[in-house]
Amino acid sequence: MPGSFALAVALALGCLPSCRKHVETQKADLGEAGYRFTPEEWFRACRGNDVAALKKFVAAGFSASTRNSEGDTALHVAAGNGALAAMEFLLDRKQDVNVRGAGERTPLMDAVIADKAEMVRWLLRQGADANLKDHEGYKPLMLAVREGSAATVGELAARDREDLDAALLLAAMMDKPAVIDALTSFGASVHARMDDGRTALMVAAENGGTESVKMLLEIGASRLAIDAEGRTAADLANAAGHPDLAALISRDPLPADLALDSPETIAGEMTDYVDAVVAKADEDPAKKSIPSATGADSSATLPVSSTIELPRIAKTQARREAAVPLQDQTLGKQSDSIHAPPTVAPAPATQAEAGDAKMPDLVMRHYRDKDIPVRVKSVQGEVATIALTGVSTREIKVRAGDAIPGSNLVVVRVRRRMEDSKVNLGVPTEISVVDVQDRSTGVSREWVAGIQPNAHEPVALVEDGATGKRYVASPGQRFYAADGAEFMVSDVRPNQLVIRESATGETKTIPLRGPRG
């Protein structure tokens, strides 16, 4: 035993000169490569993506977890500089991909702030957590919005769906039109509201965000929506000293603004919108990949030019076949009729909520709720007073048979009726009603005093998760799964569709994922 101990000591002592020689050799090699053996030089090698130098540092005994004066590790420095090779080397050394640094930021957050979209994408594939917050309470998605990085927003949107609407409101406040475009493409609702009822358009108008106002109007924001105090976006723009924006928002209505669209027109326009957004992403050479709908890594070895596309129907079929009314559809059954096209089988149990394994695998791609720039003021006898909203509001009086100026609308009937609703707080009250019809489409609507008239019920464009076929869903519609189970669309909201199984009463909420979500 003493002899064995002596041998071990001798071997250890004999190794010391050799180890020292190796360390000195590595330091000498570092010197020849232009580096000194200091923390400052270690971080310089990280910024420069110099893996050969990093290997020499580590071989010479330098700790890969060393922090700089600000509290950041090499992972933070490499992430912020887009140094992918250095990042891979450091993670191979068992460094924590979610390590906290200055400001409690993770490497992913530093990559976002530096607008390094490729690094963001790579870090997400390595398990970086997109739901952590820095010391100010910002998640990576919100940091991307704050920095105005549309590319990194696109990478993060599918990983943080619960914050998409809040992110849109922040983008509107900070006048980030490209970010607004990216967020709505992945499922943020243009109808999102603050706690006080302000929409994204109102927030942008109030803060003087001209380009954001233009973008929001282009993608369907309602210029007629009001906040909790009854103010429109134009009202808020004027109050904040932006009359130019108020004028941009408060234009006089065009004939299209006063049209009651047919179901076919609605389906076609929604389908065209989704196809246009996806086509725009496909044509963007800077977009190397799109996160999958589940937020999971689509492929660890995607070539640089790859994109993940949604299943799409050819343009020539879009209006005729891809977006038909969901009512009476039989999901998962083949049919030659365009009123009962094949769609999706029941969702796998792994994708369904507890107890609703029969729920169809539908994806909500788009939402539409078109306001009409008209308000019913009152009905006296056979005469109704309505207000046309434009640059200035003008009141007109109409009777049954009269045309609404500047439109194809004709008044069918004016009346008063007793109604118990939310508008009158549950107390039966006599209300004014005007029934109108669009002579070009044959569509009729009922306009009620105290409620903003719209061109149609809120509708959603839903997509078969397996085939990509599309359907227009509205509240009250019924449809069937492949096994014969009946479902009903309970509600269509700006950011979600609610469906209910008729037999069991079980419900499922399908979130808006957007065209590229």
Side-chain angles (χ1 to χ4, degrees), residues 154-201:
E155 299 298 337
L156 293 161
R159 311 277 181 143
D160 188 9
R161 294 195 179 280
E162 66 181 28
D163 289 321
L164 289 182
D165 286 356
L168 178 66
L169 291 164
L170 177 61
M173 185 179 298
M174 302 185 72
D175 194 20
K176 307 287 186 181
V179 172
I180 290 172
D181 190 22
L183 286 166
T184 53
S185 293
F186 280 96
S189 173
V190 74
H191 302 277
R193 290 179 180 265
M194 306 279 280
D195 290 342
D196 58 8
R198 285 180 297 160
T199 64
L201 180 62

Side-chain angles (χ1 to χ4, degrees), residues 218-270:
E218 178 184 335
I219 59 181
S222 174
R223 64 184 76 233
L224 303 173
I226 58 175
D227 67 5
E229 297 181 25
R231 301 170 297 181
T232 65
D235 294 334
L236 290 168
N238 266 324
H242 306 297
D244 52 334
L245 281 181
L248 175 66
I249 296 166
S250 297
R251 62 168 173 75
D252 286 327
L254 303 173
D257 298 326
L258 292 163
L260 303 182
D261 298 329
S262 67
E264 293 76 18
T265 297
I266 296 168
E269 289 179 353
M270 294 179 80

Side-chain angles (χ1 to χ4, degrees), residues 321-506:
E321 176 179 312
V324 298
L326 186 63
Q327 191 167 3
D328 298 328
Q329 298 308 304
T330 302
L331 302 189
K333 293 184 178 179
Q334 193 76 24
S335 172
D336 293 329
S337 168
I338 67 169
H339 296 293
T343 80
V344 58
T350 55
Q351 295 181 7
E353 297 176 358
D356 66 1
K358 295 180 180 179
M359 287 291 180
D361 183 18
L362 299 175
V363 181
M364 182 177 173
R365 290 298 181 206
H366 193 29
Y367 171 87
R368 173 168 154 156
D369 183 9
K370 176 184 170 184
D371 290 332
I372 297 288
V374 171
R375 288 183 183 273
V376 176
K377 305 291 289 186
S378 64
V379 169
Q380 297 294 332
E382 297 180 352
V383 178
T385 301
I386 63 174
L388 294 178
T389 305
V391 174
S392 59
T393 299
R394 65 187 176 112
E395 294 187 356
I396 60 172
K397 296 185 182 299
V398 294
R399 298 170 177 264
D402 289 348
I404 304 295
S407 74
N408 288 314
L409 300 179
V410 62
V411 177
V412 176
R413 182 169 58 155
V414 299
R415 55 199 167 98
R416 294 177 66 83
R417 71 164 184 242
M418 299 299 293
E419 185 170 287
D420 178 358
S421 70
K422 291 185 292 185
V423 175
N424 44 52
L425 303 178
V427 179
T429 305
E430 191 174 35
I431 61 171
S432 299
V433 182
V434 176
D435 296 311
V436 297
Q437 184 180 59
D438 191 315
R439 290 171 293 188
S440 64
T441 63
V443 177
S444 299
R445 294 293 292 169
E446 179 183 89
W447 293 348
V448 179
I451 300 175
Q452 175 63 52
N454 53 23
H456 53 78
E457 292 298 313
V459 294
L461 187 68
V462 296
E463 185 175 273
D464 173 337
T467 69
K469 286 186 177 292
R470 298 177 185 149
Y471 305 87
V472 177
S474 60
Q477 288 182 338
R478 297 179 184 275
F479 58 99
Y480 301 87
D483 61 359
E486 182 186 74
F487 295 88
M488 185 182 75
V489 178
S490 296
D491 198 6
V492 179
R493 303 168 185 168
N495 59 358
Q496 60 187 215
L497 177 75
V498 183
I499 62 175
R500 177 172 59 84
E501 185 176 2
S502 301
T504 65
E506 294 179 17

Side-chain angles (χ1 to χ4, degrees), residues 129-163:
D129 191 338
N131 289 291
L132 297 178
K133 297 180 180 180
D134 67 8
H135 76 291
E136 294 180 298
Y138 280 91
K139 290 183 180 181
L141 176 62
M142 290 302 193
L143 289 172
V145 172
R146 189 187 72 184
E147 301 300 320
S149 174
T152 55
V153 163
E155 299 298 337
L156 293 161
R159 311 277 181 143
D160 188 9
R161 294 195 179 280
E162 66 181 28
D163 289 321

